[in-house]
Amino acid sequence: MKKNILKVMSMAVATVLAVTALSACGKKAEEEVNPDLPTLTMATNAEFKPFEYLEGSEIVGSDIDMAKAIAEYLGYNLEITNIDFDAALTGAATGKYDMAVAGITATDERRKSMNFSNNYFKASQSIIVTADSEIKGKDDLTGKVIACQEGTTGEQYLLDNEYEIQSFKTASEAVASLRAGKADAVIVDNAVAKALSAEQEGATVVLDEALTEEAYAIALQLGNDELTAKINEALEALEADGTLAKIFEKYDLVVD
Ligand code: GLN
């Protein structure tokens, strides 16, 4: 009998250890799980500072704070999975995840395969060059090699305008290519360009010219109008009570 109790106890200890180990090394960040609430699953790509990025092993950023506020407003637990940007988009489109929040531009092309919430942030594509570059604006990009992030609106802009491009999984890799002299410029979303360039200690600058006009929205499965409506309701409430403005301010994001 005593032996049995010991055995049960050691099994319990093993179970607790297994759960801890999983949450420490898994890609999923699950916080304060309330077993009575349903879970909203979210895909992101934590390579897009200040919207989503890693601080140690923690996924942080304005999109993350916003998603947490939405989940709280709607009464859901939030489970975040960090994957490649294109996989996050596909994951939302196929319904593998309830939503993708990743500084995603709502485009007409993407609307053919996924639902979008209302827009929550205005953005544009910006040019990053080295501080001593002769490129001063869009007109100087002709004939240059331009680095960008795969599957993004920045890449689409470059393809549409028939530039010579280098595509990377992340915008940081595109900047590394610029720093290594392999690319002449990087095209990336304006706030991310600012954050990435700030990390280069004066070696790069962001040009003033905005190449596009875009707006970020949350992506969901095509036809999931019920959840889209709920998310819109949450976004409206969080905008009305100033929560969204506070989140953007926390990350130095300029709203216009
Ligand atoms: N806004 C851009 C897009 O939707 C880039 C997003 C990202 O790289 N996370 O394509």
Side-chain angles (χ1 to χ4, degrees), residues 66-125:
M66 183 182 76
K68 283 180 183 168
I70 290 171
E72 198 185 330
Y73 178 88
L74 295 174
Y76 289 122
N77 292 309
L78 181 68
E79 185 185 279
I80 304 173
T81 303
N82 182 21
I83 47 177
D84 284 344
F85 179 67
D86 39 10
L89 276 183
T90 318
T94 57
K96 181 170 181 194
Y97 303 97
D98 294 321
M99 61 179 186
V101 190
I104 301 167
T105 303
T107 65
D108 290 343
E109 189 56 34
R110 288 176 180 161
R111 281 185 201 284
K112 290 180 193 161
S113 59
M114 57 191 87
N115 269 21
F116 277 108
S117 71
N118 294 339
N119 297 338
Y120 65 83
F121 195 82
K122 284 192 183 140
S124 63
Q125 295 301 312

Side-chain angles (χ1 to χ4, degrees), residues 45 47-48 52 85 89 102-107 110 123 125 149-155 171 188-189 192 214 216:
N45 173 235
E47 295 277 358
F48 208 60
E52 42 270 323
F85 179 67
L89 276 183
I104 301 167
T105 303
T107 65
R110 288 176 180 161
Q125 295 301 312
Q149 188 191 341
E150 203 174 277
T152 62
T153 45
E155 183 186 56
V188 68
D189 296 41
V192 178
E214 307 182 12
Y216 295 162

Side-chain angles (χ1 to χ4, degrees), residues 9-234:
M9 275 181 62
S10 63
M11 270 175 67
V13 168
T15 310
V16 168
L17 285 180
V19 168
T20 315
L22 251 184
S23 59
C25 69
K27 279 191 288 181
K28 287 180 181 162
E30 213 168 331
E31 296 196 4
E32 295 155 30
V33 175
N34 178 340
D36 299 330
L37 296 180
T39 295
L40 187 67
T41 58
M42 159 179 157
T44 195
N45 173 235
E47 295 277 358
F48 208 60
K49 196 177 178 182
F51 298 97
E52 42 270 323
Y53 56 103
L54 289 174
E55 232 169 47
S57 60
E58 200 191 345
I59 307 171
V60 297
S62 61
D63 276 347
I64 308 304
D65 286 5
M66 183 182 76
K68 283 180 183 168
I70 290 171
E72 198 185 330
Y73 178 88
L74 295 174
Y76 289 122
N77 292 309
L78 181 68
E79 185 185 279
I80 304 173
T81 303
N82 182 21
I83 47 177
D84 284 344
F85 179 67
D86 39 10
L89 276 183
T90 318
T94 57
K96 181 170 181 194
Y97 303 97
D98 294 321
M99 61 179 186
V101 190
I104 301 167
T105 303
T107 65
D108 290 343
E109 189 56 34
R110 288 176 180 161
R111 281 185 201 284
K112 290 180 193 161
S113 59
M114 57 191 87
N115 269 21
F116 277 108
S117 71
N118 294 339
N119 297 338
Y120 65 83
F121 195 82
K122 284 192 183 140
S124 63
Q125 295 301 312
S126 283
I127 308 168
I128 311 178
V129 290
T130 50
D132 58 0
S133 174
E134 58 188 23
I135 300 171
K136 304 289 178 213
K138 185 171 86 176
D139 294 345
D140 302 327
L141 292 177
T142 314
K144 304 287 185 202
V145 178
I146 308 168
C148 63
Q149 188 191 341
E150 203 174 277
T152 62
T153 45
E155 183 186 56
Q156 197 54 53
Y157 172 84
L158 294 171
L159 291 171
D160 290 346
N161 290 282
E162 297 178 358
Y163 288 111
E164 189 182 332
I165 68 167
Q166 280 177 358
S167 291
F168 295 93
K169 277 276 173 222
T170 64
S172 320
E173 289 167 276
V175 171
S177 179
L178 173 71
R179 294 283 311 264
K182 292 180 185 155
D184 301 306
V186 171
I187 300 293
V188 68
D189 296 41
N190 53 339
V192 178
K194 213 170 111 187
L196 273 174
S197 194
E199 288 169 4
Q200 311 306 315
E201 294 163 342
T204 59
V205 289
V206 180
L207 304 182
D208 282 337
E209 197 169 17
L211 302 178
T212 57
E213 273 183 32
E214 307 182 12
Y216 295 162
I218 295 172
L220 302 99
Q221 186 171 26
L222 190 67
N224 192 349
D225 298 339
E226 200 182 317
L227 186 57
T228 307
K230 280 189 190 171
I231 297 224
N232 282 339
E233 186 198 318

